Amino acid sequence: MSENIIEKNKKIFSLLSDYINFTPDAICREMVEDTAEYCHVSREEAFRILISGILDVYSDKVLMNGWIRKMFRLLLAENYEQDPYLQTVSLSHISSGRWELTNESYKPYELFVFNDPVREFDGKLIPMVGYFQREYSFPCVKQGGREWMLITPNEIETMKRPIAKAFGDVVTYGLGLGYFPFMVSAKESVESVTVIEKDESIIRLFEKHLLWQFPFKEKIRIICADAFEYAARDYSHDFVFADIWHDPSDGVVAYKRLKALEKEGVEYAYWIEDTLKLYM
């Protein structure tokens, strides 16, 4: 990989991180429509023009052609709203202690990461970021005011591979809104799902307000325990999935700890594993 590509990767991730963390909704519908009309381009191209200007990369043809034109995706809200979990589970605003179950939303053209980055053959890392043209609502669980788990396109897309791989006696570390247990419990190839969650408060909220809505709830059992302590024990599960981190900032250390506790004869999967490896 050339030094130029390494520097471009760092630059685009830094710029994108600042934008999403501090001003993800800086571009609104009116700006996109006005730009599309003035420049005689599609709304998708108008958005790309606007974001390139805000990131100050429009004059950098290498970044524009190698990264910018590949990384921004217009997503269709209805494609995600048809997700089985979202079609089945309803959630109203509920709070208990430091935990809160609620609904949040993305504004039209608000930017968010929707999948792991794509690594190209020459070393380019292309962030997968998207936006909707209309408001998009999603369920959310917060702890102390901080969003902990969201059923967003990112959650749906990054869970697809682990869900597809799960079989037999499954254990998952981390409860959240129960998206993974919901999805895998519906599979004929999955016999049981054991959820390891260390916080009793979120377990009580989940069992009272969400679990009863799961069609295959009889397959699911929840154990209040620490994931690392449980992983260190001798057990006989077929498939293990871990999702106990918020993002790479707290995920890399936890991922390494759990990897060191893997056992022979068990298949493992980790949430956003491809992204975590980029930070190691």
Side-chain angles (χ1 to χ4, degrees), residues 171-242:
V171 65
T172 177
Y173 301 137
L175 175 59
L177 291 167
Y179 183 79
F180 182 81
F182 176 96
M183 296 297 286
V184 299
S185 65
K187 298 179 63 176
E188 290 186 7
S189 59
V190 170
E191 299 166 7
S192 62
V193 184
T194 301
V195 182
I196 308 303
E197 170 58 53
K198 68 178 182 180
D199 193 295
E200 292 183 2
S201 297
I202 191 61
I203 293 174
R204 286 195 297 268
L205 276 178
F206 177 81
E207 290 180 333
K208 181 177 181 180
H209 299 285
L210 298 178
L211 182 59
W212 64 270
Q213 301 182 62
F214 285 33
F216 300 94
K217 54 185 174 295
E218 68 278 359
K219 287 187 180 183
I220 301 170
R221 67 169 179 155
I222 305 172
I223 297 175
C224 185
D226 178 83
F228 301 108
E229 293 178 2
Y230 188 89
R233 301 175 190 169
D234 290 326
Y235 56 75
S236 56
H237 297 294
D238 298 307
F239 184 88
V240 174
F241 174 66

Side-chain angles (χ1 to χ4, degrees), residues 106-123:
Y106 288 131
K107 300 175 183 177
Y109 296 99
E110 181 173 347
L111 201 63
F112 55 87
V113 176
F114 75 91
N115 211 336
D116 288 322
V118 172
R119 183 187 292 273
E120 296 192 336
F121 71 93
D122 60 357

Side-chain angles (χ1 to χ4, degrees), residues 73-271:
R73 306 287 179 85
L74 169 61
L75 304 176
L76 298 178
E78 50 268 31
N79 288 348
Y80 294 98
E81 291 168 343
Q82 294 303 311
D83 180 83
Y85 182 102
L86 298 178
Q87 286 285 303
T88 305
V89 178
S90 62
L91 185 152
S92 56
H93 185 271
I94 303 157
S95 61
S96 177
R98 299 182 68 242
W99 289 99
E100 180 182 9
L101 304 180
T102 187
N103 288 283
E104 300 289 345
S105 64
Y106 288 131
K107 300 175 183 177
Y109 296 99
E110 181 173 347
L111 201 63
F112 55 87
V113 176
F114 75 91
N115 211 336
D116 288 322
V118 172
R119 183 187 292 273
E120 296 192 336
F121 71 93
D122 60 357
K124 290 191 188 76
L125 292 176
I126 311 299
M128 291 290 101
V129 287
Y131 58 92
F132 296 115
Q133 286 186 334
R134 64 172 172 85
E135 186 174 9
Y136 176 84
S137 298
F138 51 86
C140 169
V141 58
K142 296 181 179 181
Q143 182 184 33
R146 184 190 188 196
E147 294 175 345
W148 187 248
M149 181 184 181
L150 323 167
I151 311 298
T152 62
N154 179 270
E155 192 78 14
I156 293 170
E157 294 291 349
T158 55
M159 288 277 190
K160 284 182 177 178
R161 277 190 294 172
I163 290 168
K165 292 169 62 178
F167 70 97
D169 180 14
V170 176
V171 65
T172 177
Y173 301 137
L175 175 59
L177 291 167
Y179 183 79
F180 182 81
F182 176 96
M183 296 297 286
V184 299
S185 65
K187 298 179 63 176
E188 290 186 7
S189 59
V190 170
E191 299 166 7
S192 62
V193 184
T194 301
V195 182
I196 308 303
E197 170 58 53
K198 68 178 182 180
D199 193 295
E200 292 183 2
S201 297
I202 191 61
I203 293 174
R204 286 195 297 268
L205 276 178
F206 177 81
E207 290 180 333
K208 181 177 181 180
H209 299 285
L210 298 178
L211 182 59
W212 64 270
Q213 301 182 62
F214 285 33
F216 300 94
K217 54 185 174 295
E218 68 278 359
K219 287 187 180 183
I220 301 170
R221 67 169 179 155
I222 305 172
I223 297 175
C224 185
D226 178 83
F228 301 108
E229 293 178 2
Y230 188 89
R233 301 175 190 169
D234 290 326
Y235 56 75
S236 56
H237 297 294
D238 298 307
F239 184 88
V240 174
F241 174 66
D243 179 12
I244 58 172
W245 39 83
H246 186 269
D247 54 43
S249 65
D250 65 332
V252 172
V253 173
Y255 170 70
K256 288 180 177 179
R257 286 183 65 186
L258 288 174
K259 287 288 288 183
L261 296 170
E262 288 187 355
K263 296 175 173 60
E264 291 186 8
V266 180
E267 188 167 346
Y268 292 85
Y270 300 87
W271 184 57

